[in-house]
Amino acid sequence: MHFEFDEGEYDGKASMFFVGLTNSVGGFEQIAPDAKLDDGKFSLLIVKTANIFEILHLIRLMITGGKHVNDRRVIYTKTSKLTVPP
């Protein structure tokens, strides 16, 4: 996948990505722990692993306080624009 955002770009494998304006997705409150509705920024989260055990570990980190955003297998940033070229 290729993403271009305010802080740079990512070009590599990703099992999933989330773009949102709030901290809550599907009832999970910590996916983007510092998201604010009025800051004019999207929260971008890119999960670089497809390993089920690593994803389960990331989910545990998310549920226990949003620590998944600091993991090496995750890119987490705030951006005012996002481009995903075809």
Side-chain angles (χ1 to χ4, degrees):
M1 298 184 130
H2 184 79
F3 300 92
E4 297 170 4
F5 45 92
D6 290 350
E7 300 294 320
E9 60 185 73
Y10 174 73
D11 188 35
K13 292 184 178 184
S15 62
M16 64 186 94
F17 70 95
F18 300 94
V19 178
L21 294 171
T22 71
N23 69 331
S24 176
V25 176
F28 292 101
E29 298 286 329
Q30 295 294 321
I31 288 185
D34 63 345
K36 294 183 174 69
L37 286 173
D38 60 353
D39 68 356
K41 302 276 185 169
F42 293 105
S43 295
L44 171 64
L45 183 102
I46 303 170
V47 179
K48 299 187 283 184
T49 182
N51 180 294
I52 188 66
F53 296 108
E54 292 178 350
I55 290 174
L56 289 172
H57 177 73
L58 291 172
I59 291 170
R60 185 180 64 77
L61 290 175
M62 179 192 62
I63 291 171
T64 58
K67 299 176 191 125
H68 62 294
V69 298
N70 300 316
D71 192 278
R72 64 178 173 76
R73 296 163 288 207
V74 170
I75 294 173
Y76 178 68
T77 189
K78 307 290 280 248
T79 186
S80 60
K81 66 177 186 166
L82 173 65
T83 305
V84 184

